[in-house]
Amino acid sequence: MSTTLFRTSAWAACAVAALTLVSVSPAQAKDAPPQVTEDGLQLAKSTKTRLVYVKPGATFSQYDRVAILDCYVEFEKDWQKDYNASRMGLEGRVSDKDVERIKTDLAAEFKKVFVDELQNKGGYQVVDVAAPDVLLLRPALLNVEVNAPDIMTAGIERTVVRSAGQMTLYLELWDPATKTVLARVMDAQEDDEAFAQMANRVTNKAAADRILREWAEELRKRLDTVRRKDEQ
């Protein structure tokens, strides 16, 4: 599948720019979202944390397979600088290498969770080709914050948190054969564990998985619903 159109820096810039419509912790609309986007999508849902836009007349019953592009990941602006400023001395600071590792791990986890939900639970075969029956997912995770990143330190450090962090999903659904965007979703979520817990790589991954699984499950159910509706 040719993905040149979908893998440009302009795509990331557009995703970040679109999130000026929403913020996180919790997300609040800065301004009323437009009813129609510049590329012709119409507002279908608007809440404090979520915006959903859909192309008028778009149908989904023709899609039996799904292609998922690599997930773009970007931290909240100044997250690394602000986190390191809160540390005493150089010990426990987040390095550029740590940031890239977290991005890579989170992108891989996104792919793993969405493939499992869509293919193993939903029956949508995940492929890497463009065809009339393939729906292309173009994902990004933005405004990522990790409250207590698990990094390599010389000593033993334990951090207790009530929330592992937060992130915002930016997801576009495309028809790759016609290079047409069919829907766009922006949703900000924060880990909301009820009790304080020890933060480490395992608990951070579990928190990310909970949010990713909710998004993937909702997408699967929504695709099932619109497919059934289209077929009636």
Side-chain angles (χ1 to χ4, degrees):
M1 176 175 60
S2 175
T3 59
T4 302
L5 174 66
F6 306 107
R7 294 181 184 275
T8 63
S9 58
W11 141 245
C14 288
V16 173
L19 287 176
T20 59
L21 294 173
V22 293
S23 58
V24 291
S25 302
Q28 299 288 341
K30 295 181 178 179
D31 298 296
Q35 293 298 308
V36 181
T37 66
E38 292 184 357
D39 51 359
L41 303 187
Q42 291 187 348
L43 183 64
K45 184 174 183 179
S46 176
T47 71
K48 290 182 178 180
T49 62
R50 179 174 300 179
L51 293 176
V52 179
Y53 286 90
V54 179
K55 179 180 175 62
T59 60
F60 294 85
S61 57
Q62 67 270 36
Y63 301 115
D64 298 314
R65 299 183 293 171
V66 175
I68 307 175
L69 295 186
D70 293 339
C71 184
Y72 174 81
V73 179
E74 189 61 70
F75 275 87
E76 173 76 6
K77 182 180 179 181
D78 295 330
W79 171 80
Q80 182 183 7
K81 181 180 71 174
D82 292 343
Y83 181 85
N84 288 340
S86 69
R87 312 301 294 175
M88 297 296 293
L90 299 178
E91 186 70 17
R93 291 193 173 190
V94 176
S95 66
D96 292 343
K97 185 177 180 179
D98 292 324
V99 170
E100 292 308 311
R101 173 182 58 79
I102 295 172
K103 286 183 178 181
T104 299
D105 290 349
L106 190 52
E109 199 63 21
F110 179 96
K111 187 72 169 286
K112 177 182 176 182
V113 171
F114 272 70
V115 168
D116 178 63
E117 188 67 36
L118 294 173
Q119 181 166 273
N120 299 337
K121 297 184 179 181
Y124 297 92
Q125 182 184 4
V126 178
V127 298
D128 190 27
V129 297
D133 67 334
V134 173
L135 179 67
L136 177 68
L137 305 185
R138 189 186 189 197
L141 296 174
L142 306 174
N143 294 341
V144 174
E145 290 187 12
V146 183
N147 292 335
D150 186 22
I151 56 180
M152 299 300 294
T153 59
I156 298 176
E157 182 174 312
R158 295 182 175 87
T159 305
V160 177
V161 298
R162 286 192 177 274
S163 171
Q166 59 192 22
M167 55 185 170
T168 299
L169 173 67
Y170 181 96
L171 177 66
E172 291 184 344
L173 280 61
W174 284 74
D175 183 312
T178 62
K179 296 182 179 179
T180 301
V181 60
L182 305 174
R184 181 175 296 121
V185 179
M186 290 165 277
D187 188 46
Q189 292 294 329
E190 181 177 5
D191 175 51
D192 59 354
E193 282 294 279
F195 304 100
Q197 60 177 334
M198 196 71 67
N200 53 49
R201 191 169 302 184
V202 174
T203 58
N204 286 340
K205 178 179 178 297
D209 278 353
R210 282 193 294 271
I211 296 175
L212 293 174
R213 181 65 64 176
E214 288 178 4
W215 282 329
E217 183 178 14
E218 183 162 355
L219 174 62
R220 174 181 61 80
K221 290 180 178 179
R222 178 56 61 180
L223 288 177
D224 289 343
T225 298
V226 296
R227 278 165 56 87
R228 287 194 299 268
K229 183 178 179 181
D230 291 344
E231 291 169 351
Q232 291 178 353

